[in-house]
Amino acid sequence: MAAADDLQFEEFGDGATLPATNPDATTIDIEDPGEISKRQSRPRGSPGREEDEELLGNNDSDETELLAGQKKSSPFWTFEYYQTFFDVDTHQVFDRIKGSLLPVPGKNFVRLYVRSNPDLYGPFWICATLVFAIAISGNLSNFLIHLGEKTYHYVPEFQKVSIAATIIYAYAWLVPLALWGFLVWRNSKVMNIVSYSFLEIVCVYGYSLFIYIPTAVLWIIPQRAVRWVLVTIALGISGSVLAMTFWPAVREDNRRVALATIVMIVLLHVLLSVGCLAYFFDAPEMDHLPTTTATPNQTVVAARSS
Amino acid sequence: MAEAEESSGELETATPRPLFAGLSDISISQDIPIEGEITIPMQGRARELDRSTLNESVRHTIMRDLKAVGKKFMHVLYPRRSNVLLRDWDLWGPLILCVTLALMLQKGSVDGEKDGGPQFAEVFVIVWFGAVTITLNSKLLGGNISFFQSLCVLGYCILPLTVAMLICRLVLLAGQGPINFMIRLFVVVVMFIWSVVASTAFLADSHPPNRKALAVYPVFLFYFVISWMILTFTP
């Protein structure tokens, strides 16, 4: 009966065969997963490609805007709103840490690794680890330097933990706030193609501090030269990550303003690392080192021991 | 009742009629006394329990809670994959442990020079705020463990480190020196590993495998800081 036929499901078959059987049918082509991954892997690029689109992320800027709009839909007083900032897997966190340790010119940390999914897990726990690393290493290093002195009484110096925490967390949150405000203000004057959200800047700063954790542990070695070499290496790596991230954001601006911004970012970073080294780690005095001193000091040691 | 049964029996043996046709014929001519006791067994027992916990001695109440705490201590000392800590959580154990640890870690007197050790309040705040931060982190990462269950597990797993503190204090009574330090270091390291393993045994299942490391690392950091405070304690 006609009524029974109308209620039956029609088999449509594959989309490929449909135009053959029914030329009037409309078909929509959905891309293969292989093509999509090819498209996404292009922004990563082969090393050495320095096209503007890569840095600016024009390919996926539309996508990222859309994704950012879709993600944070809960109001800010619900718990789910804050859960969106912890939406990372273990391997993503490791990738971001790796990206902060190996800055490659031409690759932007935010576009490459953060990709509109800024997380607060990394910055918070990297800063916490750094606070304890600096406090504990400083304590250990002072203990080792003053080992053997009759007048030295070991104290754990627990108050330094709170001072370290204040310094590091202030740096990791207030400097991004100031930088974000500054970039927003410049954006209103000069049309920049690249702009970062506040959380992305916090993310970059947090992950760029990771290099200081092994540096702080290695600062236990009571040699002045070793410490300064370590400071230089750490500053080089994290400073370049920051500079390469923020250069595209200020490039469109007045030359002097752009250069001043980058210099300011690097200068604050230098201030942080040198300040931590000076405050938490006592200066190693030369005449307490046994055999590894440089030759000009051996006469001093000989003079003191005689 | 007997009359009604007889009449219904008669109905069944008679010729088949429509259902319940003769029901109206049944008349109960005399009052059937209905008497007896209606008791529901479950309710009765609960009422008995209520009465007993109100009237029981104070010693009995305290012993019951102490036994629950002691049972959980046993579960921490021999960690197996069980959910006793999660099912009946309580915060008495963590409080006892935290107060004991803070009392033992604080500086004895206020020195004239800069006193380096943590004060009672500092230890207390570090333990409780550390536990709260880890719990918040676990919940933000999407773990399916409740707030107080996680606090309970983290608090109870401080037990090995409290034992380490006791041992360290006893060892320090014998004077200070490098051998002394090596013994203390060994004890603290062993207890630290025990704490981390115990808490991971309870907390590991509450996260999907792609975020397990993210949830376990703060626990590791927390117990490491407490171990450091125990190791650097100088009377």
Side-chain angles (χ1 to χ4, degrees), chain A residues 236-251:
Chain A
I237 294 181
S238 57
S240 61
V241 167
L242 286 177
M244 277 191 288
T245 305
F246 289 107
W247 178 244
V250 292
R251 204 167 41 175

mmCIF file with all atom_site columns, all heavy atoms in Angstrom, chain A residues 236-251:
data_model
loop_
_atom_site.group_PDB
_atom_site.id
_atom_site.type_symbol
_atom_site.label_atom_id
_atom_site.label_alt_id
_atom_site.label_comp_id
_atom_site.label_asym_id
_atom_site.label_entity_id
_atom_site.label_seq_id
_atom_site.pdbx_PDB_ins_code
_atom_site.Cartn_x
_atom_site.Cartn_y
_atom_site.Cartn_z
_atom_site.occupancy
_atom_site.B_iso_or_equiv
_atom_site.pdbx_formal_charge
_atom_site.auth_seq_id
_atom_site.auth_comp_id
_atom_site.auth_asym_id
_atom_site.auth_atom_id
_atom_site.pdbx_PDB_model_num
ATOM 1   N N   . GLY A 1 236 ? 68.961 33.586 28.742 1.00 0.00 ? 236 GLY A N   1
ATOM 2   C CA  . GLY A 1 236 ? 68.937 33.503 27.283 1.00 0.00 ? 236 GLY A CA  1
ATOM 3   C C   . GLY A 1 236 ? 67.709 32.744 26.803 1.00 0.00 ? 236 GLY A C   1
ATOM 4   O O   . GLY A 1 236 ? 66.966 33.204 25.924 1.00 0.00 ? 236 GLY A O   1
ATOM 5   N N   . ILE A 1 237 ? 67.469 31.602 27.417 1.00 0.00 ? 237 ILE A N   1
ATOM 6   C CA  . ILE A 1 237 ? 66.376 30.751 26.935 1.00 0.00 ? 237 ILE A CA  1
ATOM 7   C C   . ILE A 1 237 ? 65.018 31.392 27.220 1.00 0.00 ? 237 ILE A C   1
ATOM 8   O O   . ILE A 1 237 ? 64.199 31.590 26.302 1.00 0.00 ? 237 ILE A O   1
ATOM 9   C CB  . ILE A 1 237 ? 66.467 29.356 27.584 1.00 0.00 ? 237 ILE A CB  1
ATOM 10  C CG1 . ILE A 1 237 ? 67.725 28.650 27.098 1.00 0.00 ? 237 ILE A CG1 1
ATOM 11  C CG2 . ILE A 1 237 ? 65.247 28.548 27.265 1.00 0.00 ? 237 ILE A CG2 1
ATOM 12  C CD1 . ILE A 1 237 ? 67.912 27.274 27.657 1.00 0.00 ? 237 ILE A CD1 1
ATOM 13  N N   . SER A 1 238 ? 64.784 31.754 28.493 1.00 0.00 ? 238 SER A N   1
ATOM 14  C CA  . SER A 1 238 ? 63.441 32.265 28.783 1.00 0.00 ? 238 SER A CA  1
ATOM 15  C C   . SER A 1 238 ? 63.218 33.647 28.198 1.00 0.00 ? 238 SER A C   1
ATOM 16  O O   . SER A 1 238 ? 62.115 33.978 27.760 1.00 0.00 ? 238 SER A O   1
ATOM 17  C CB  . SER A 1 238 ? 63.184 32.277 30.288 1.00 0.00 ? 238 SER A CB  1
ATOM 18  O OG  . SER A 1 238 ? 64.162 33.028 30.937 1.00 0.00 ? 238 SER A OG  1
ATOM 19  N N   . GLY A 1 239 ? 64.289 34.455 28.171 1.00 0.00 ? 239 GLY A N   1
ATOM 20  C CA  . GLY A 1 239 ? 64.151 35.777 27.562 1.00 0.00 ? 239 GLY A CA  1
ATOM 21  C C   . GLY A 1 239 ? 63.810 35.681 26.091 1.00 0.00 ? 239 GLY A C   1
ATOM 22  O O   . GLY A 1 239 ? 62.980 36.446 25.578 1.00 0.00 ? 239 GLY A O   1
ATOM 23  N N   . SER A 1 240 ? 64.430 34.710 25.404 1.00 0.00 ? 240 SER A N   1
ATOM 24  C CA  . SER A 1 240 ? 64.139 34.603 23.975 1.00 0.00 ? 240 SER A CA  1
ATOM 25  C C   . SER A 1 240 ? 62.728 34.086 23.741 1.00 0.00 ? 240 SER A C   1
ATOM 26  O O   . SER A 1 240 ? 62.061 34.497 22.790 1.00 0.00 ? 240 SER A O   1
ATOM 27  C CB  . SER A 1 240 ? 65.159 33.714 23.281 1.00 0.00 ? 240 SER A CB  1
ATOM 28  O OG  . SER A 1 240 ? 65.117 32.436 23.826 1.00 0.00 ? 240 SER A OG  1
ATOM 29  N N   . VAL A 1 241 ? 62.237 33.195 24.626 1.00 0.00 ? 241 VAL A N   1
ATOM 30  C CA  . VAL A 1 241 ? 60.851 32.739 24.486 1.00 0.00 ? 241 VAL A CA  1
ATOM 31  C C   . VAL A 1 241 ? 59.901 33.924 24.605 1.00 0.00 ? 241 VAL A C   1
ATOM 32  O O   . VAL A 1 241 ? 58.988 34.105 23.793 1.00 0.00 ? 241 VAL A O   1
ATOM 33  C CB  . VAL A 1 241 ? 60.512 31.676 25.555 1.00 0.00 ? 241 VAL A CB  1
ATOM 34  C CG1 . VAL A 1 241 ? 59.021 31.440 25.622 1.00 0.00 ? 241 VAL A CG1 1
ATOM 35  C CG2 . VAL A 1 241 ? 61.223 30.389 25.252 1.00 0.00 ? 241 VAL A CG2 1
ATOM 36  N N   . LEU A 1 242 ? 60.141 34.759 25.615 1.00 0.00 ? 242 LEU A N   1
ATOM 37  C CA  . LEU A 1 242 ? 59.261 35.905 25.814 1.00 0.00 ? 242 LEU A CA  1
ATOM 38  C C   . LEU A 1 242 ? 59.368 36.892 24.652 1.00 0.00 ? 242 LEU A C   1
ATOM 39  O O   . LEU A 1 242 ? 58.356 37.386 24.144 1.00 0.00 ? 242 LEU A O   1
ATOM 40  C CB  . LEU A 1 242 ? 59.621 36.609 27.119 1.00 0.00 ? 242 LEU A CB  1
ATOM 41  C CG  . LEU A 1 242 ? 59.207 35.898 28.401 1.00 0.00 ? 242 LEU A CG  1
ATOM 42  C CD1 . LEU A 1 242 ? 59.687 36.674 29.598 1.00 0.00 ? 242 LEU A CD1 1
ATOM 43  C CD2 . LEU A 1 242 ? 57.709 35.750 28.446 1.00 0.00 ? 242 LEU A CD2 1
ATOM 44  N N   . ALA A 1 243 ? 60.619 37.161 24.240 1.00 0.00 ? 243 ALA A N   1
ATOM 45  C CA  . ALA A 1 243 ? 60.802 38.157 23.179 1.00 0.00 ? 243 ALA A CA  1
ATOM 46  C C   . ALA A 1 243 ? 60.150 37.685 21.892 1.00 0.00 ? 243 ALA A C   1
ATOM 47  O O   . ALA A 1 243 ? 59.454 38.451 21.206 1.00 0.00 ? 243 ALA A O   1
ATOM 48  C CB  . ALA A 1 243 ? 62.286 38.422 22.975 1.00 0.00 ? 243 ALA A CB  1
ATOM 49  N N   . MET A 1 244 ? 60.323 36.393 21.580 1.00 0.00 ? 244 MET A N   1
ATOM 50  C CA  . MET A 1 244 ? 59.753 35.911 20.321 1.00 0.00 ? 244 MET A CA  1
ATOM 51  C C   . MET A 1 244 ? 58.247 35.837 20.380 1.00 0.00 ? 244 MET A C   1
ATOM 52  O O   . MET A 1 244 ? 57.578 35.900 19.352 1.00 0.00 ? 244 MET A O   1
ATOM 53  C CB  . MET A 1 244 ? 60.346 34.546 19.978 1.00 0.00 ? 244 MET A CB  1
ATOM 54  C CG  . MET A 1 244 ? 61.675 34.693 19.304 1.00 0.00 ? 244 MET A CG  1
ATOM 55  S SD  . MET A 1 244 ? 62.232 33.173 18.617 1.00 0.00 ? 244 MET A SD  1
ATOM 56  C CE  . MET A 1 244 ? 62.652 32.305 20.071 1.00 0.00 ? 244 MET A CE  1
ATOM 57  N N   . THR A 1 245 ? 57.692 35.692 21.592 1.00 0.00 ? 245 THR A N   1
ATOM 58  C CA  . THR A 1 245 ? 56.239 35.671 21.695 1.00 0.00 ? 245 THR A CA  1
ATOM 59  C C   . THR A 1 245 ? 55.660 37.053 21.507 1.00 0.00 ? 245 THR A C   1
ATOM 60  O O   . THR A 1 245 ? 54.635 37.216 20.850 1.00 0.00 ? 245 THR A O   1
ATOM 61  C CB  . THR A 1 245 ? 55.830 35.135 23.070 1.00 0.00 ? 245 THR A CB  1
ATOM 62  O OG1 . THR A 1 245 ? 56.439 33.879 23.274 1.00 0.00 ? 245 THR A OG1 1
ATOM 63  C CG2 . THR A 1 245 ? 54.337 34.997 23.162 1.00 0.00 ? 245 THR A CG2 1
ATOM 64  N N   . PHE A 1 246 ? 56.328 38.060 22.083 1.00 0.00 ? 246 PHE A N   1
ATOM 65  C CA  . PHE A 1 246 ? 55.713 39.381 22.087 1.00 0.00 ? 246 PHE A CA  1
ATOM 66  C C   . PHE A 1 246 ? 56.161 40.263 20.934 1.00 0.00 ? 246 PHE A C   1
ATOM 67  O O   . PHE A 1 246 ? 55.581 41.324 20.730 1.00 0.00 ? 246 PHE A O   1
ATOM 68  C CB  . PHE A 1 246 ? 55.976 40.078 23.423 1.00 0.00 ? 246 PHE A CB  1
ATOM 69  C CG  . PHE A 1 246 ? 55.193 39.452 24.535 1.00 0.00 ? 246 PHE A CG  1
ATOM 70  C CD1 . PHE A 1 246 ? 55.814 38.668 25.485 1.00 0.00 ? 246 PHE A CD1 1
ATOM 71  C CD2 . PHE A 1 246 ? 53.830 39.613 24.595 1.00 0.00 ? 246 PHE A CD2 1
ATOM 72  C CE1 . PHE A 1 246 ? 55.086 38.075 26.492 1.00 0.00 ? 246 PHE A CE1 1
ATOM 73  C CE2 . PHE A 1 246 ? 53.094 39.025 25.592 1.00 0.00 ? 246 PHE A CE2 1
ATOM 74  C CZ  . PHE A 1 246 ? 53.717 38.255 26.545 1.00 0.00 ? 246 PHE A CZ  1
ATOM 75  N N   . TRP A 1 247 ? 57.173 39.838 20.195 1.00 0.00 ? 247 TRP A N   1
ATOM 76  C CA  . TRP A 1 247 ? 57.597 40.685 19.089 1.00 0.00 ? 247 TRP A CA  1
ATOM 77  C C   . TRP A 1 247 ? 56.489 40.852 18.041 1.00 0.00 ? 247 TRP A C   1
ATOM 78  O O   . TRP A 1 247 ? 56.248 41.960 17.590 1.00 0.00 ? 247 TRP A O   1
ATOM 79  C CB  . TRP A 1 247 ? 58.879 40.117 18.479 1.00 0.00 ? 247 TRP A CB  1
ATOM 80  C CG  . TRP A 1 247 ? 59.364 40.879 17.317 1.00 0.00 ? 247 TRP A CG  1
ATOM 81  C CD1 . TRP A 1 247 ? 59.475 40.448 16.026 1.00 0.00 ? 247 TRP A CD1 1
ATOM 82  C CD2 . TRP A 1 247 ? 59.798 42.240 17.295 1.00 0.00 ? 247 TRP A CD2 1
ATOM 83  N NE1 . TRP A 1 247 ? 59.953 41.428 15.216 1.00 0.00 ? 247 TRP A NE1 1
ATOM 84  C CE2 . TRP A 1 247 ? 60.160 42.558 15.965 1.00 0.00 ? 247 TRP A CE2 1
ATOM 85  C CE3 . TRP A 1 247 ? 59.918 43.243 18.265 1.00 0.00 ? 247 TRP A CE3 1
ATOM 86  C CZ2 . TRP A 1 247 ? 60.632 43.799 15.597 1.00 0.00 ? 247 TRP A CZ2 1
ATOM 87  C CZ3 . TRP A 1 247 ? 60.391 44.478 17.884 1.00 0.00 ? 247 TRP A CZ3 1
ATOM 88  C CH2 . TRP A 1 247 ? 60.742 44.755 16.567 1.00 0.00 ? 247 TRP A CH2 1
ATOM 89  N N   . PRO A 1 248 ? 55.774 39.785 17.639 1.00 0.00 ? 248 PRO A N   1
ATOM 90  C CA  . PRO A 1 248 ? 54.709 40.003 16.654 1.00 0.00 ? 248 PRO A CA  1
ATOM 91  C C   . PRO A 1 248 ? 53.594 40.895 17.146 1.00 0.00 ? 248 PRO A C   1
ATOM 92  O O   . PRO A 1 248 ? 52.885 41.498 16.341 1.00 0.00 ? 248 PRO A O   1
ATOM 93  C CB  . PRO A 1 248 ? 54.175 38.597 16.383 1.00 0.00 ? 248 PRO A CB  1
ATOM 94  C CG  . PRO A 1 248 ? 55.218 37.679 16.844 1.00 0.00 ? 248 PRO A CG  1
ATOM 95  C CD  . PRO A 1 248 ? 55.921 38.356 17.953 1.00 0.00 ? 248 PRO A CD  1
ATOM 96  N N   . ALA A 1 249 ? 53.450 41.021 18.455 1.00 0.00 ? 249 ALA A N   1
ATOM 97  C CA  . ALA A 1 249 ? 52.341 41.815 18.969 1.00 0.00 ? 249 ALA A CA  1
ATOM 98  C C   . ALA A 1 249 ? 52.640 43.301 18.940 1.00 0.00 ? 249 ALA A C   1
ATOM 99  O O   . ALA A 1 249 ? 51.722 44.111 18.936 1.00 0.00 ? 249 ALA A O   1
ATOM 100 C CB  . ALA A 1 249 ? 52.013 41.377 20.399 1.00 0.00 ? 249 ALA A CB  1
ATOM 101 N N   . VAL A 1 250 ? 53.946 43.645 18.935 1.00 0.00 ? 250 VAL A N   1
ATOM 102 C CA  . VAL A 1 250 ? 54.265 45.077 18.956 1.00 0.00 ? 250 VAL A CA  1
ATOM 103 C C   . VAL A 1 250 ? 54.952 45.505 17.676 1.00 0.00 ? 250 VAL A C   1
ATOM 104 O O   . VAL A 1 250 ? 55.345 46.655 17.539 1.00 0.00 ? 250 VAL A O   1
ATOM 105 C CB  . VAL A 1 250 ? 55.171 45.429 20.167 1.00 0.00 ? 250 VAL A CB  1
ATOM 106 C CG1 . VAL A 1 250 ? 54.411 45.264 21.455 1.00 0.00 ? 250 VAL A CG1 1
ATOM 107 C CG2 . VAL A 1 250 ? 56.415 44.580 20.171 1.00 0.00 ? 250 VAL A CG2 1
ATOM 108 N N   . ARG A 1 251 ? 55.080 44.554 16.729 1.00 0.00 ? 251 ARG A N   1
ATOM 109 C CA  . ARG A 1 251 ? 55.867 44.855 15.548 1.00 0.00 ? 251 ARG A CA  1
ATOM 110 C C   . ARG A 1 251 ? 55.248 45.969 14.714 1.00 0.00 ? 251 ARG A C   1
ATOM 111 O O   . ARG A 1 251 ? 55.951 46.738 14.083 1.00 0.00 ? 251 ARG A O   1
ATOM 112 C CB  . ARG A 1 251 ? 55.960 43.586 14.692 1.00 0.00 ? 251 ARG A CB  1
ATOM 113 C CG  . ARG A 1 251 ? 57.146 43.564 13.807 1.00 0.00 ? 251 ARG A CG  1
ATOM 114 C CD  . ARG A 1 251 ? 57.362 42.209 13.249 1.00 0.00 ? 251 ARG A CD  1
ATOM 115 N NE  . ARG A 1 251 ? 56.114 41.576 12.854 1.00 0.00 ? 251 ARG A NE  1
ATOM 116 C CZ  . ARG A 1 251 ? 56.069 40.409 12.242 1.00 0.00 ? 251 ARG A CZ  1
ATOM 117 N NH1 . ARG A 1 251 ? 57.198 39.788 11.978 1.00 0.00 ? 251 ARG A NH1 1
ATOM 118 N NH2 . ARG A 1 251 ? 54.935 39.859 11.929 1.00 0.00 ? 251 ARG A NH2 1
#
